[in-house]
Amino acid sequence: MKTVDWSPKRWLRIALPAILILIWFAAAGIGGPTFGKISDVSTNDQASFLPANAESTVVLDWQARFVDTQAIPAVVLLTSEQPLTQAQLGEISALSQKMGAVTGVQQPEPPATTTIAGPIPSADKLAVEFLVPITGTEEINTVVGDLRQVLKDSAPAGLTVYVTGPAGLTADLVSAFAGIDGVLLLVALLAVFVILLVVYRSVVLPILVLFTSVVALSASILVIYYLASWDWIKLSGQSQGILSILVIGAATDYSLLLVARFREALHQVQSKWAALGRAMRGAWEPILASGSTVILAMLCLLFSDLNSNRSLGPIAAIGIFFSLLAALTCLPALLVVFGRVAFWPFRPKVEHAHAHKHAALSKSPLTEATMHDVDLGLAGIGGLWRRVGLLIARKPRVTWVVTLVLLLAASTGVLQLQANGVSQTEVILGQSNAVDGQKALAKHFDGGSGSPVVIIVDENKQAQVLAAVTGTAGIADASFYTGNGRPDAAAQPVVKDGRVLLNATLKDQADSDAAEQVVVDLRDHLPAVDSGVLVGGVSAIALDTNVTAQRDLVKIVPLVLVVITIVLMLLLRSIVAPLLLIGSVVLSYAATMGISALVFNHVFGFPGADATVPLFGFVFLVALGVDYNIFLMTRVREESLLMGTHAGVLRALGKTGGVITSAGVVLAATFAALGVIPLLFLAQLAFIVAFGVLLDTVIVRSLLVPAVTYDVGNHVWWPSKLSKRGPTGTQRNADAPERVGIPIP
C-alpha cells in the first residue's frame, strides 16, 4: 500500500518545536516558584470542607454570633508522676501570663485581663490544664510551636508538657503536610526516573519525560494557586499532595504511550518527523480519550455534598488537563528535536519488513483458524507477551474464568473494610505531641475538655434543654455561654436573636466514636424539648463529615460509571466492549478494596479507614484503570480493522504489553510516594491506588480483558460494522481506515 508521511518545511521544523518548548519553559519558570507559596492559600480546617447545610455548619454560623472571633482552642496540659505541690501550682499559674504574650494567642478586651482559662487541676492532682484560644491570625503551627517552646523553657522541672486540643492537632496535621512541597515531589520524581531508566535503558528519555511531567505540574499549580487565592476553590494539604502525584503519574503515562509509538515508528522510517507523524496519528486519540475520561470522572466530584470532595474535582481536572496538554505538545517537540538520540545508547534502527515464524506454537492442538490468528497477530512478537498471547489463543475461556474467580475471591475481603472514619488522634501516623496529649488528657480529665459539644437553644427552653443535656449518657457537665472565659454560674447567658449557647463537656475524647454517638443521641432526643435546637462542635463536625462522605459514595459512583461508559462507547463505536471494560475495572476496584481491607486490618493494624477512602479509591482506580484499557482496546480496534478481532487482540497485546505495564509501574510508584507523608488517609490511598494499578495492568488488562475480548470475538464491537466481519478477519471492512505507512501482513 502507498505510504504517506508528512514533513514540514525547514523553517517550520525549527520554529515549531522551539516555540512549544519555550512556552513550556516559561510556564515552568513562572509556575515553579509557586510551589513554595501554595501552602499560603491552603487550609486544613475540617469544618471548612463540610456541606453548607450540615447541622454542624449551621452551628458554626450561630457560634460566630456569640463569640466575635475565629479562635481555635488549644488545650495546654502539664502532667506529673507525683501529686503537684502548692509551689509547683504557683509556678504553673504564672505560665498564663507568658502564654498570653505569645503572638497569635487571643488578646482580652477590657476589663478582662486574660482570655486563657486555667490553671485547672485534675481530681487526681497529677495534671493541670489551660484552655488557650488561638485567633488564627498567624499560622497555627507557628503559634502552637511558640507555645510549646515557651512552656518548655518556663514550666517547672519534672513536668511533661503537651499542647493538644483542636489547635494542637491541627498544627501537627499542618506540619505533617509540610513534606508535600519537597520530599513527596522528590521521591515521586526519583521513582519515575529509576523505573524509566531500567525500562528504556536510556539516560536522555527519562529526563525528557520527567521534564514534561514537571512543566505540566508547574502550569497546573500556577492556575490552582490563583484560583485558590481568589477563593474560587478550596485547596487543602490533602488535595495538594494528590495533585502532585496525579499530574506526575498521568503525564508520565501519556508520555510513555507516545514514546512507544515514536520508537515503533523509528524502526519503520528514517525521518524523525515522519516517525513523529505516525506516532501522533496512533497515539493522540487514546491519549485524548484517556485524559478526557479522567477529567470527566474528576469533575463528577462537583456533585459531592462534602466540600473537600467537591474541591478536589476541579483541582485534579486542571492537573490532568495540563498533563494531557504537555504530553501532546511539549513531549512531541522534545522528541522531534532529539530524535533517535532520545533513546541513546540504544538508538532505534530502521528494520526491513519481514515475517517472524515460530515453529513450535504449542503442545496443544490448534485449529487452522487459530493458527492463522497466531501467525498473523504474533508475527514479530517475542518473549513474555508472545507466551501470554499463546495462552489466550489456546484457552481464552479458561483464562478469563480463572482470572474472574480469583478477582471475585479477593473482592470478598471488602466485607472487612472499616471505612466509618477514625478519630483525629489516629489520623497522624508519626510522632505527635498533640496526639500524645489527647491520650494523657483522657487519663486525668474528661476526654472532651476543650472541645465541647456546642448546642444552640431557644432562650425560653434553656432550663429544660440543660436538664436533658446533663441527663444524657456521655456528658460530664454543661454550662451556658456567659461571655466569660470560664463558666460563671452567677452570670446570665448571652442571648442572640432569641437563642443561647450551651457548651457540653464530653466524658470521652471529642473525636472518638463514643463522642459521635453522644451527638447522635442529643440530636435524637433534644428536638422533643426544643424543636429548633441545633447540635454542633468538633464531634458533630466529624460525624457530619463521615455521614456526608458515605452519602457521596452512593451518589458519585454511578455517575462516574455512566460518564466513563458514554466516553468509551463514543471512542470504541461499540456498546458491548465498553460494558465489558467497565465491568472489568469495577471488579478490579472491588478486588483491590478487598485485599486492602485485609492488609489494613491484619498487616498494618490500622484502626480503620477515613470515610472518604472508598470514594477517592474508586474515582482514581476506575478513571486510571480505564486509561490502560483505552490504551489496549483502541489498539485492538485498530488492528482488528486490518486483521480481524482474534489476531487483533494478540497483536495489540504484544505491542502495548510492555508500555502499559511500564506505565502502570510508574503510576503505582508515584502514588506509593504518598506514603512518605505520615497521615493515615494518604497512606491508605497510596496503598489502594498503587496495588490497584498493578493489579489492573498485570492481571486485568493482561489476561482478563484480552481473553474475554478474544472469546467474544467480533461481537465485542456490536453494533458497529466491525462486528459483522468474518471470524478470521480475512475480508477487509469497508469502513477500515488506511493505516498510513504501515504494511498490512
Side-chain angles (χ1 to χ4, degrees), residues 344-682:
W344 181 87
F346 299 97
R347 303 184 187 188
K349 297 180 180 179
V350 178
E351 299 175 353
H352 297 289
H354 58 279
H356 295 261
K357 297 293 182 180
H358 293 262
L361 292 176
S362 172
K363 294 181 180 180
S364 302
L366 295 174
T367 65
E368 183 178 345
T370 303
M371 289 280 289
H372 174 271
D373 293 333
V374 170
D375 282 340
L376 192 60
L378 295 180
I381 306 298
L384 172 65
W385 297 108
R386 181 176 182 82
R387 292 193 292 273
V388 174
L390 288 173
L391 172 65
I392 291 172
R394 289 198 306 267
K395 299 179 179 179
R397 189 161 300 174
V398 172
T399 300
W400 71 257
V401 168
V402 170
T403 306
L404 177 65
V405 170
L406 292 175
L407 291 173
L408 288 173
S411 301
T412 59
V414 78
L415 299 175
Q416 297 189 35
L417 184 65
Q418 304 170 24
N420 299 317
V422 294
S423 65
Q424 197 170 3
T425 55
E426 294 170 323
V427 169
I428 302 173
L429 298 178
Q431 193 280 329
S432 167
N433 178 266
V435 169
D436 295 340
Q438 284 295 121
K439 296 175 182 177
L441 187 68
K443 294 179 182 179
H444 304 287
F445 293 91
D446 293 319
S449 296
S451 304
V453 176
V454 179
I455 306 171
I456 306 300
V457 183
D458 186 324
E459 66 172 323
N460 297 319
K461 304 288 183 65
Q462 55 181 289
Q464 299 94 312
V465 171
L466 178 61
V469 170
T470 54
T472 301
I475 297 294
D477 61 66
S479 61
F480 288 102
Y481 175 70
T482 60
N484 300 319
R486 299 177 67 172
D488 184 353
Q492 292 299 311
V494 174
V495 180
K496 296 288 184 180
D497 299 327
R499 302 285 189 99
V500 293
L501 186 151
L502 179 64
N503 288 316
T505 302
L506 293 157
K507 293 180 180 179
D508 297 290
Q509 288 184 208
D511 57 357
S512 64
D513 291 339
E516 290 184 19
Q517 185 57 50
V518 173
V519 172
V520 173
D521 293 341
L522 290 172
R523 286 177 173 176
D524 287 342
H525 302 144
L526 292 184
V529 181
D530 177 2
S531 60
V533 71
L534 297 169
V535 180
V538 173
S539 304
I541 289 172
L543 174 65
D544 289 344
T545 299
N546 292 336
V547 170
T548 307
Q550 292 167 6
R551 188 168 62 239
D552 281 346
L553 181 65
V554 177
K555 180 194 302 184
I556 302 300
V557 165
L559 185 60
V560 171
L561 292 177
V562 169
V563 168
I564 292 179
T565 302
I566 292 173
V567 172
L568 289 175
M569 287 180 177
L570 294 174
L571 176 68
L572 299 175
R573 292 84 156 172
S574 165
I575 293 176
V576 176
L579 293 178
L580 291 176
L581 295 182
I582 286 295
S584 72
V585 294
V586 170
L587 181 60
S588 176
Y589 167 73
T592 298
M593 296 305 295
I595 297 297
S596 298
L598 296 176
V599 172
F600 294 164
N601 295 342
H602 305 296
V603 178
F604 295 152
F606 288 152
D610 190 279
T612 59
V613 163
L615 177 60
F616 282 175
F618 176 84
V619 171
F620 286 126
L621 283 182
V622 170
L624 297 173
V626 166
D627 264 7
Y628 301 124
N629 283 322
I630 287 175
F631 292 167
L632 172 66
M633 291 303 290
T634 51
R635 188 64 182 259
V636 170
R637 189 177 191 280
E638 177 185 333
E639 300 292 348
S640 297
L641 287 168
L642 300 173
M643 58 183 68
T645 301
H646 286 164
V649 168
L650 302 179
R651 186 77 174 174
L653 180 62
K655 286 294 185 181
T656 65
V659 62
I660 294 179
T661 301
S662 300
V665 172
V666 166
L667 188 64
T670 53
F671 264 92
L674 283 173
V676 304
I677 301 178
L679 296 173
L680 181 64
F681 169 82
L682 292 181

Side-chain angles (χ1 to χ4, degrees), residues 137-162:
T137 56
E138 302 288 334
E139 290 289 340
I140 192 167
N141 55 327
T142 301
V143 180
V144 169
D146 291 343
L147 268 177
R148 286 172 176 161
Q149 188 60 50
V150 166
L151 292 166
K152 180 181 178 181
D153 295 339
S154 307
L159 300 187
T160 303
V161 179
Y162 306 96

Side-chain angles (χ1 to χ4, degrees), residues 641-728:
L641 287 168
L642 300 173
M643 58 183 68
T645 301
H646 286 164
V649 168
L650 302 179
R651 186 77 174 174
L653 180 62
K655 286 294 185 181
T656 65
V659 62
I660 294 179
T661 301
S662 300
V665 172
V666 166
L667 188 64
T670 53
F671 264 92
L674 283 173
V676 304
I677 301 178
L679 296 173
L680 181 64
F681 169 82
L682 292 181
Q684 292 178 329
L685 187 63
F687 180 86
I688 289 171
V689 178
F691 178 82
V693 165
L694 291 177
L695 179 69
D696 202 71
T697 54
V698 175
I699 303 297
V700 177
R701 189 268 316 160
S702 298
L703 294 174
L704 180 63
V705 172
V708 170
T709 305
Y710 193 98
D711 197 20
V712 175
N714 289 337
H715 298 297
V716 79
W717 308 116
W718 185 86
S720 70
K721 293 180 181 180
L722 188 56
S723 65
K724 300 178 177 63
R725 298 189 60 187
T728 61

Side-chain angles (χ1 to χ4, degrees), residues 69-366:
T69 177
Q70 297 297 320
I72 304 174
V75 178
V76 172
L77 179 69
L78 298 94
T79 64
S80 172
E81 295 183 359
Q82 302 295 328
L84 294 168
T85 65
Q86 288 299 320
Q88 287 176 311
L89 290 173
E91 291 183 69
I92 291 172
S93 180
L95 294 175
S96 179
Q97 184 176 359
K98 294 183 179 180
M99 289 189 291
V102 173
T103 303
V105 173
Q106 183 183 355
Q107 298 303 304
E109 295 182 4
T113 59
T114 183
T115 59
I116 298 175
I120 306 171
S122 63
D124 58 14
K125 299 182 180 180
L126 295 176
V128 170
E129 72 170 348
F130 294 87
L131 303 181
V132 183
I134 295 176
T135 61
T137 56
E138 302 288 334
E139 290 289 340
I140 192 167
N141 55 327
T142 301
V143 180
V144 169
D146 291 343
L147 268 177
R148 286 172 176 161
Q149 188 60 50
V150 166
L151 292 166
K152 180 181 178 181
D153 295 339
S154 307
L159 300 187
T160 303
V161 179
Y162 306 96
V163 178
T164 185
L169 289 167
T170 301
D172 286 356
L173 188 65
V174 170
S175 297
F177 277 117
I180 287 178
D181 291 331
V183 177
L184 176 61
L185 193 58
L186 181 62
V187 169
L189 292 176
L190 183 60
V192 173
F193 181 81
V194 171
I195 293 170
L196 294 180
L197 195 63
V198 171
V199 171
Y200 287 96
R201 295 174 296 168
S202 167
V203 177
V204 180
L205 185 65
I207 295 174
L208 301 184
V209 172
L210 285 180
F211 177 79
T212 303
S213 301
V214 169
V215 296
L217 180 59
S218 299
S220 59
I221 282 188
L222 180 64
V223 171
I224 289 167
Y225 172 81
Y226 282 106
L227 291 179
S229 65
W230 297 333
D231 205 26
W232 289 7
I233 60 174
K234 288 283 187 182
L235 178 65
S236 67
Q238 174 179 292
S239 55
Q240 183 183 337
I242 292 173
L243 171 70
S244 300
I245 293 303
L246 187 63
V247 171
I248 292 172
T252 303
D253 274 6
Y254 304 148
S255 298
L256 290 182
L257 183 61
L258 180 61
V259 166
R261 286 282 193 162
F262 183 61
R263 186 169 66 168
E264 184 179 332
L266 287 175
H267 284 297
Q268 299 166 350
V269 294
Q270 185 63 43
S271 168
K272 60 185 180 182
W273 275 99
L276 181 64
R278 295 187 180 199
M280 290 295 290
R281 282 193 293 272
W284 77 268
E285 187 178 29
I287 291 177
L288 183 62
S290 299
S292 300
T293 301
V294 180
I295 288 172
L296 291 173
M298 296 304 169
L299 290 179
C300 287
L301 291 173
L302 288 172
F303 293 92
S304 172
D305 289 327
L306 199 62
N307 286 339
S308 56
N309 292 349
R310 188 187 305 144
S311 65
L312 180 62
I315 290 171
I318 290 169
I320 295 296
F321 171 77
F322 281 106
S323 299
L324 190 64
L325 190 62
L328 292 176
T329 58
C330 180
L331 183 63
L334 293 170
L335 290 177
V336 82
V337 168
F338 283 85
R340 286 177 166 81
V341 176
F343 300 93
W344 181 87
F346 299 97
R347 303 184 187 188
K349 297 180 180 179
V350 178
E351 299 175 353
H352 297 289
H354 58 279
H356 295 261
K357 297 293 182 180
H358 293 262
L361 292 176
S362 172
K363 294 181 180 180
S364 302
L366 295 174

